[in-house]
Amino acid sequence: MSACRRMLYLVKHRSLLTYVRRNLTTWSPVGAAFNARPHRKLDLFQKNVGLFGVPELSCPAGFQVATETALKNTERLVEKACSSSPGVQTVQCFDQLSDELCKVADLADFIKVAHPDPAFREAAEKTCIEIGTVVEKLNTNVELCKSLKNLLDNPDIVAQLDPDTRRVADLFMFDFEISGIHLDDTLRKEAVALHVKLLDLNNEFLVGSHMPNRIARSAIPEHLHLNFATEGSFIQIGGLHADSPSDLISSNSPKICNSGGLGDSKLPTGMNVSLLAWQPVQGVSLPSAKCMLGLARAPVDPETAKDFKMMRGMKKKLSPRHSELMPWDHPYLSGVLRAERYNIEPSLYSPYLSLGSCMEGLNNLFSQLYGVSLMSEQPRAGEVWSEDVRKLAVVHETEGLLGYIYCDFFHRQDKPHQDCHFTIRGGRQCQETGQYQLPVVVLMLSLPHPTKGAPTLLTPGMMENLFHEMGHAMHSMLGRTRYQHVTGTRCATDFAEVPSILMEYFATDYRVISQFARHYETGQPLPESMVARLCESKKVCGAADTQLQIFYAVLDQIYHREPQNRSTTEILKDMQQKFYGLPYAPNTAWQLRFSHLIGYGAKYYSYLMSRAVASMVWKQCFIEDPLNREMGERYRREMLAHGGAKEPMLMVEGMLQRRPTIGDFVDALVSELNPNFETFIMDSES
């Protein structure tokens, strides 16, 4: 963007500068935009530009128009790919084909869960199904696969490909192979049928994982009925109610919620998973992941025993009549222990963490690390799905406009209660126009609305989640990949959470927090002692939390192995005894609530892997100076810029300027729990 154009941006948004609470606190334009209630000017003559500026999507029927256009372009690109001579243009054509479908499918995938209008949600759902069906057919299109195979089987042509193009070609071939393209016609049809059945079972499992269990009203004393939803002669129990003041509720609700009544405990992993679910993970070898999990247990288990001892003491204090420590007590009691020991009541912190101040802090951080500014823009008529959605332009000081982030931050009826990052449009170099297609993403949170007397105030947990999700968004914005198939967060699962987890370190460093956390009424900064208490509290029961994640990762891998002649509950009991310090509760099947079994599919360990990488990057590159521009530029250049176009280990190696060992990964996981862990690991390896 030219200096003149950037000046127009600044002049345009200068009017947003506002004073809050009798001029005691002054916010920057982006801070003011998020601390003020939205004020949209009603312009009856303004044209409806459609959702995200897509003209067809000014009404629900437009989804069918957009779908038909995408499918027509798809047919043309398939014909082009099959008839072209093998070369770079083959991969470019595949990527353009992928982009045509993703631009509609990804947008629809978001709208079907987020739009408040049922008609829009229904139309988007139909689009997802229609395009999903086409994708399944393309992944088993023999002629299309041959056009790519002709390229990859020619060593002379492959030698001329640049690394990014070669990797993208391999990834497209990988998609063909996991769809059974290499099988004969009979087996391929069987594989496709199994894949479709697996997708149906996955959806069935995800729905069931959130369904409440029922129990007869007569089974619970009448004075407790008000604590639960009712359905005729039944009471619905869909939560643990671990914080209930009633011992009867807190001790029995988890058993009912996690009882085997959800089904016969046969997860959709028992059929031919060696073909469909247990796939090689791009970027790291599974034996390495298993090795990391195994090595981490030795130093973590003894510390976990101490954590559970503390939890038992707290439960005995809170529930003398039901003092046995159960698996579902872990998250609740660890939170109680943190709050009691360090006095980290969220209401003490929230006045310093208005949404506007946090967004101002993110803007300052990105400006200092990358030379990037977040600039609030007024959405055009019909561009957003709710009037409280904010639109941010991401602008680099020399490169200009990098992309757009739509911030759907506030709670509303029928909106999912989860923090998510959605890619609406991936970035790519358009060969047909010579321009770069700018990425567009949505960040979805579920925050309270501002009131007449105060802006939206965040708890420390909410603030960390905001930084986490913004890490995903900046991964999408700062990437400049040639191919949208590997843009931003479209990377190996092992690596996808690294940028977001790294942002959590910035969110708890006082040198960063001190730049924005100030009381929304008085302007006073958040005391450093309060930040220190918050950071120290995170170490409480940290070993138990890590052991639980190791247990989840191992269980996920066991479930996605070859079929076993026993129920998932029997496997759960066995693995819980081996890998987790709390006993299995009879007649429960909590794995039926573990929805990540579907989302990750043998790759849940990636959360620990990403946390280890983020820890290494923070300690080596940012802990001395979290606002160091040189390190920020290296981080963008070595890690964020590549999306999925480069092997994760090569990106980590480029950032750390060394190749980390398995011991380094383990040390990064556990050293924050106890400073003596590092010595333990070094002694074990020697």
Side-chain angles (χ1 to χ4, degrees):
M1 178 180 291
S2 66
C4 179
R5 186 178 174 192
R6 191 167 191 275
M7 182 60 69
L8 288 174
Y9 260 96
L10 295 173
V11 171
K12 178 180 178 181
H13 298 290
R14 191 176 296 280
S15 60
L16 291 173
L17 191 65
T18 185
Y19 291 87
V20 180
R21 292 283 181 171
R22 300 180 182 177
N23 298 344
L24 289 174
T25 302
T26 304
W27 306 109
S28 68
V30 71
F34 282 85
N35 266 355
R37 298 178 69 87
H39 297 287
R40 299 273 165 82
K41 294 181 180 179
L42 182 61
D43 186 350
L44 297 177
F45 299 100
Q46 190 175 12
K47 181 181 178 182
N48 187 322
V49 300
L51 292 169
F52 298 102
V54 179
E56 295 88 345
L57 301 185
S58 59
C59 63
F63 271 101
Q64 186 59 38
V65 177
T67 301
E68 290 173 356
T69 300
L71 296 184
K72 184 177 180 180
N73 290 336
T74 296
E75 291 180 3
R76 174 179 56 82
L77 289 167
V78 168
E79 183 178 346
K80 179 180 177 181
C82 292
S83 60
S84 298
S85 300
V88 175
Q89 65 275 9
T90 305
V91 182
Q92 293 171 346
C93 189
F94 267 75
D95 192 67
Q96 188 180 352
L97 170 60
S98 174
D99 185 55
E100 281 291 335
L101 295 171
C102 287
K103 280 192 295 189
V104 179
D106 289 343
L107 190 156
D109 200 43
F110 168 72
I111 292 298
K112 76 177 183 181
V113 299
H115 204 291
D117 186 342
F120 269 98
R121 295 201 301 268
E122 183 179 344
E125 174 70 27
K126 289 180 179 178
T127 287
C128 289
I129 294 172
E130 190 168 352
I131 291 185
T133 301
V134 171
V135 170
E136 287 296 322
K137 291 180 179 178
L138 290 176
N139 284 339
T140 55
N141 185 317
V142 175
E143 291 303 313
L144 189 61
C145 180
K146 279 183 180 179
S147 67
L148 186 61
K149 195 171 186 303
N150 290 338
L151 165 66
L152 292 173
D153 286 348
N154 190 321
D156 294 333
I157 297 178
V158 169
Q160 298 174 23
L161 300 179
D162 62 90
D164 286 6
T165 302
R166 173 62 194 271
R167 179 165 172 79
V168 171
D170 287 338
L171 289 172
F172 277 123
M173 182 55 70
F174 181 81
D175 291 338
F176 279 120
E177 289 172 350
I178 64 173
S179 297
I181 196 73
H182 56 290
L183 303 174
D184 61 39
D185 289 346
T186 301
L187 289 176
R188 186 165 60 250
K189 289 178 181 178
E190 183 181 349
V192 171
L194 285 170
H195 199 178
V196 171
K197 185 176 181 181
L198 182 62
L199 290 174
D200 291 340
L201 286 169
N202 286 347
N203 290 330
E204 182 182 336
F205 175 73
L206 288 174
V207 171
S209 68
H210 295 96
M211 291 290 289
N213 264 350
R214 300 191 310 168
I215 189 172
R217 291 170 61 94
S218 58
I220 295 179
E222 189 171 350
H223 69 281
L224 299 178
H225 288 184
L226 291 176
N227 294 280
F228 307 101
T230 59
E231 181 186 346
S233 60
F234 293 93
I235 284 177
Q236 295 182 343
I237 299 181
L240 302 182
H241 297 274
D243 57 348
S244 172
S246 168
D247 280 356
L248 189 61
I249 291 178
S250 63
S251 61
N252 287 292
S253 290
K255 296 178 183 177
I256 299 170
C257 179
N258 291 322
S259 72
L262 288 161
D264 63 358
S265 73
K266 299 289 187 183
L267 292 180
T269 53
M271 57 172 200
N272 207 3
V273 293
S274 59
L275 173 64
L276 298 174
W278 186 239
Q279 297 295 341
V281 180
Q282 298 293 318
V284 71
S285 65
L286 287 172
S288 296
K290 294 174 185 176
C291 182
M292 181 190 75
L293 296 175
L295 284 174
R297 288 187 61 199
V300 167
D301 287 357
E303 295 298 316
T304 300
K306 299 176 186 178
D307 290 348
F308 287 149
K309 184 177 180 180
M310 287 194 299
M311 291 184 202
R312 287 188 179 93
M314 178 57 71
K315 186 167 186 182
K316 189 173 183 179
K317 177 181 175 181
L318 297 175
S319 305
R321 291 182 296 176
H322 299 89
S323 59
E324 182 183 2
L325 189 63
M326 302 302 291
W328 47 78
D329 294 322
H330 177 159
Y332 171 64
L333 291 178
S334 59
V336 172
L337 285 165
R338 292 182 185 110
E340 182 183 75
R341 180 173 296 185
Y342 290 100
N343 188 25
I344 54 169
E345 171 60 40
S347 62
L348 299 175
Y349 290 82
S350 292
Y352 299 93
L353 301 174
S354 69
L355 176 58
S357 72
C358 292
M359 293 303 297
E360 190 174 282
L362 286 163
N363 187 41
N364 291 339
L365 177 63
F366 297 149
S367 177
Q368 293 174 81
L369 286 179
Y370 314 120
V372 164
S373 297
L374 304 177
M375 296 186 172
S376 179
E377 282 198 357
Q378 182 72 25
R380 295 165 293 173
E383 186 177 355
V384 296
W385 48 100
S386 178
E387 68 172 9
D388 55 16
V389 174
R390 268 64 161 190
K391 180 184 179 183
L392 294 176
V394 182
V395 183
H396 190 272
E397 59 190 13
T398 59
E399 298 171 31
L401 184 62
L402 298 181
Y404 292 101
I405 303 173
Y406 290 83
C407 301
D408 188 356
F409 283 174
F410 300 104
H411 170 78
R412 63 176 174 270
Q413 189 175 4
D414 295 330
K415 178 182 174 182
H417 292 275
Q418 57 189 38
D419 299 339
C420 298
H421 164 273
F422 292 86
T423 296
I424 303 300
R425 185 177 70 197
R428 76 179 183 99
Q429 187 63 46
C430 299
Q431 301 300 320
E432 55 274 25
T433 64
Q435 296 181 329
Y436 196 82
Q437 176 175 286
L438 297 178
V440 176
V441 304
V442 173
L443 293 189
M444 187 167 72
L445 307 177
S446 190
L447 303 176
H449 287 269
T451 64
K452 290 183 179 179
T456 294
L457 302 178
L458 276 58
T459 65
M462 291 175 181
M463 185 265 284
E464 277 193 46
N465 287 347
L466 171 61
F467 272 62
H468 179 103
E469 296 303 331
M470 191 59 78
H472 287 307
M474 294 309 291
H475 195 183
S476 295
M477 295 295 110
L478 293 174
R480 273 299 179 266
T481 55
R482 289 171 56 191
Y483 301 102
Q484 70 84 35
H485 194 63
V486 290
T487 185
T489 56
R490 290 174 181 164
C491 57
T493 311
D494 317 70
F495 187 76
E497 291 295 324
V498 172
S500 54
I501 293 175
L502 182 62
M503 283 295 293
E504 295 175 18
Y505 286 92
F506 289 98
T508 53
D509 189 288
Y510 185 71
R511 292 164 293 182
V512 176
I513 294 176
S514 62
Q515 293 200 337
F516 69 88
R518 57 191 187 276
H519 200 285
Y520 76 98
E521 291 182 304
T522 67
Q524 291 297 309
L526 177 65
E528 186 173 2
S529 60
M530 291 180 66
V531 178
R533 291 204 310 269
L534 188 65
C535 293
E536 285 300 310
S537 73
K538 293 178 179 297
K539 300 177 183 178
V540 176
C541 300
D545 294 342
T546 301
Q547 187 192 68
L548 184 61
Q549 292 300 319
I550 292 172
F551 168 46
Y552 287 162
V554 171
L555 185 68
D556 174 50
Q557 291 199 6
I558 294 296
Y559 279 155
H560 287 87
R561 276 177 164 173
E562 63 278 357
Q564 301 186 42
N565 295 321
R566 50 181 181 158
S567 72
T568 58
T569 300
E570 290 171 328
I571 297 172
L572 169 68
K573 290 168 62 177
D574 185 25
M575 293 300 105
Q576 188 161 338
Q577 183 178 3
K578 293 178 180 177
F579 292 93
Y580 191 46
L582 295 180
Y584 166 77
N587 301 315
T588 61
W590 68 258
Q591 77 276 15
L592 300 182
R593 298 283 186 193
F594 191 32
S595 58
H596 285 90
L597 288 172
I598 301 303
Y600 281 82
K603 294 176 285 188
Y604 187 83
Y605 75 88
S606 298
Y607 172 80
L608 290 172
M609 187 74 77
S610 292
R611 182 159 291 282
V613 173
S615 175
M616 285 189 280
V617 171
W618 173 258
K619 289 178 180 177
Q620 182 170 318
C621 305
F622 292 107
I623 196 168
E624 290 187 7
D625 180 5
L627 305 173
N628 185 297
R629 179 64 178 269
E630 183 180 348
M631 283 300 173
E633 293 290 355
R634 186 207 288 184
Y635 178 50
R636 181 189 181 187
R637 181 177 65 252
E638 297 292 346
M639 299 184 78
L640 297 180
H642 302 288
K646 193 173 182 179
E647 286 285 351
M649 189 60 78
L650 293 178
M651 289 189 278
V652 174
E653 186 176 348
M655 186 66 196
L656 301 179
Q657 298 186 341
R658 62 185 175 86
R659 189 172 184 84
T661 65
I662 290 294
D664 291 328
F665 281 96
V666 176
D667 176 40
L669 273 181
V670 302
S671 60
E672 293 177 7
L673 308 177
N674 186 324
N676 295 322
F677 280 178
E678 184 172 356
T679 302
F680 178 94
I681 294 166
M682 291 175 64
D683 291 344
S684 299
E685 289 189 325
S686 60

